[in-house]
């Protein structure tokens, strides 16, 4: 990945960095096929319900 240097260093934004470490990003877009939706649902559900 290409990173640009905007003059910020790790630790400059501790709250945002903490959120980033704990967030979950789900693939959601209009072209997502039904099989792909089922795949995402299955894996999210199985990781939450144990």
């Amino acid at each position: 990945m290409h990173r640009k240097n905007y003059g910020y260093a790790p630790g400059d934004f501790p709250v945002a960095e903490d959120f980033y470490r704990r967030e979950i990003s789900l693939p959601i877009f209009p072209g997502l096929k039904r099989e792909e939706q089922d795949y995402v649902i299955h894996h999210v559900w199985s990781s939450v319900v144990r």
Side-chain angles (χ1 to χ4, degrees):
M1 174 191 325
H2 176 70
R3 291 183 161 199
K4 292 183 180 181
N5 185 354
Y6 292 108
Y8 302 110
D12 285 349
F13 302 97
V15 174
E17 292 169 18
D18 180 56
F19 176 80
Y20 176 76
R21 283 190 291 274
R22 296 182 295 118
E23 77 171 324
I24 297 172
S25 297
L26 299 176
I28 299 173
F29 55 93
L32 197 63
K33 298 175 186 169
R34 180 58 190 226
E35 302 82 37
E36 295 167 326
Q37 295 172 27
D38 291 339
Y39 178 87
V40 171
I41 291 167
H42 170 77
H43 285 85
V44 169
W45 184 254
S46 65
S47 68
V48 173
V49 179
R50 290 187 178 205

